């Protein structure tokens, strides 16, 4: 079975902190994605990566950065956390082929106080 | 402009009945794909079914089938013989053409919350 593991299920941080969310996949997937999920808005893509050290902005990249130093690991960084970044964060991975589904982690519920 | 529209924020269905969850999309790309995901209250996203724009037949996976009407740009999910465990949020997503590196960037709808009742 495909396993996408997010480092924390729940996380509480303070405004202005630098926050790291980690995601690891074990299926040798080329593509990895970070989304945030908010009620009534569905999932919105923050950043994605199609190869090691490669990254592309999604629909809402402001206030976020990412790092992909190894194929299996994709990190999301909140440079200076703000209360409007309180949300559910979902990581996903997939093979490159266009008909392949994305496989998701269990999500990290992040609260910024 | 919204590319994926799910107009039903909430739906109720009785156990053992069939239910249709609506999804319409907007794209000018002749090559695209549509995915449906289920998200139970526990939070994980579970892939259900995929339909490619060039697929000749409607996709089916067990109790899930996709009513794909290309001219109407709709890809409705049909769940037959509903079970209590089907209660969840359901998301429709469209794969866009992604030139950089190939791949399958998805745009998600806002979801439909399905509640199965006894």
């Amino acid at each position: 079975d495909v396993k996408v593991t997010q480092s924390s299920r729940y996380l509480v941080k303070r405004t202005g902190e630098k926050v790291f969310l980690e995601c690891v996949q074990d299926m040798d997937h080329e593509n990895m994605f970070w989304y945030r999920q908010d009620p009534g808005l569905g999932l919105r893509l923050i950043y994605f990566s199609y190869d090691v050290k490669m990254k592309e902005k999604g629909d809402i990249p402001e206030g976020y950065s990412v790092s992909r130093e190894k194929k299996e690991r994709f990190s999301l960084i909140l440079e200076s956390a703000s209360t409007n970044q309180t949300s559910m964060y979902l990581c996903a991975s997939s093979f490159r082929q266009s008909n392949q589904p994305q496989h998701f982690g269990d999500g990290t519920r992040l609260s910024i106080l | 402009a919204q590319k994926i529209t799910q107009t039903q924020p909430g739906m109720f269905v009785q156990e053992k009945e069939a239910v249709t969850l609506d999804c319409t999309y907007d794209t000018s790309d002749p090559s695209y794909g549509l995915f449906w995901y289920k998200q139970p209250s526990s939070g994980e996203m579970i892939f259900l079914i995929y339909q490619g724009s060039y697929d000749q037949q409607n996709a089916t996976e067990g109790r899930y089938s996709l009513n794909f009407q290309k001219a109407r740009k709709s890809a409705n999910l049909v769940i037959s013989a509903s079970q209590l465990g089907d209660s969840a949020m359901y998301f429709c997503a469209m794969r866009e053409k992604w030139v950089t590196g190939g791949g399958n960037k998805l745009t998600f709808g806002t979801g439909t919350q399905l509640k199965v009742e006894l």
Side-chain angles (χ1 to χ4, degrees):
Chain A
D1 274 356
V2 176
K3 188 70 176 174
V4 179
T5 304
Q6 295 185 228
S7 52
S8 304
R9 196 70 199 267
Y10 299 94
L11 204 55
V12 180
K13 296 291 183 181
R14 295 198 176 277
T15 304
E17 279 192 71
K18 191 168 186 176
V19 181
F20 293 86
L21 302 183
E22 306 287 344
C23 176
V24 177
Q25 52 95 2
D26 66 357
M27 282 302 293
D28 203 33
H29 286 161
E30 296 93 355
N31 298 343
M32 295 191 76
F33 307 83
W34 274 107
Y35 295 89
R36 65 177 282 175
Q37 182 179 8
D38 300 288
L41 297 178
L43 276 72
R44 293 178 292 166
L45 183 64
I46 305 171
Y47 267 98
F48 56 95
S49 169
Y50 55 90
D51 204 348
V52 175
K53 297 192 186 295
M54 306 306 290
K55 60 185 179 184
E56 292 284 336
K57 292 180 179 179
D59 300 317
I60 52 165
E62 296 78 19
Y64 303 95
S65 63
V66 289
S67 173
R68 194 165 179 202
E69 296 296 318
K70 293 185 178 182
K71 190 175 186 179
E72 66 271 19
R73 187 179 296 269
F74 192 35
S75 303
L76 179 69
I77 304 151
L78 285 66
E79 298 291 342
S80 177
S82 64
T83 54
N84 63 10
Q85 292 178 309
T86 291
S87 187
M88 170 71 91
Y89 289 87
L90 291 163
C91 174
S93 70
S94 75
F95 289 117
R96 184 165 292 151
Q97 291 86 351
S98 60
N99 63 347
Q100 292 296 306
Q102 293 181 15
H103 298 269
F104 285 81
D106 289 341
T108 296
R109 190 164 291 282
L110 175 65
S111 295
I112 307 296
L113 304 179
Chain B
Q2 195 165 3
K3 293 187 176 182
I4 290 281
T5 303
Q6 295 180 254
T7 57
Q8 308 151 312
M11 289 275 289
F12 289 90
V13 66
Q14 289 212 311
E15 196 181 20
K16 299 179 186 176
E17 291 188 352
V19 62
T20 298
L21 306 183
D22 294 342
C23 174
T24 57
Y25 58 91
D26 183 25
T27 181
S28 56
D29 188 349
S31 174
Y32 56 90
L34 296 147
F35 297 79
W36 276 92
Y37 284 85
K38 171 184 178 182
Q39 187 180 41
S41 58
S42 51
E44 74 272 27
M45 294 280 284
I46 302 166
F47 165 68
L48 297 177
I49 196 166
Y50 168 79
Q51 179 85 44
S53 58
Y54 293 121
D55 293 343
Q56 294 297 312
Q57 298 199 346
N58 286 348
T60 60
E61 288 287 347
R63 294 187 298 110
Y64 303 109
S65 61
L66 215 151
N67 183 2
F68 183 48
Q69 298 189 44
K70 201 169 179 177
R72 293 186 177 183
K73 294 188 175 179
S74 74
N76 299 336
L77 178 70
V78 180
I79 306 174
S80 63
S82 297
Q83 302 171 357
L84 294 178
D86 294 334
S87 294
M89 181 73 90
Y90 289 81
F91 290 98
C92 178
M94 180 171 66
R95 184 261 302 159
E96 300 176 271
K97 193 173 184 179
W98 174 11
V99 178
T100 306
N104 58 352
K105 176 184 170 187
L106 298 181
T107 300
F108 284 80
T110 53
T112 295
Q113 182 72 49
L114 177 66
K115 174 77 172 170
V116 180
E117 301 174 314
L118 289 169

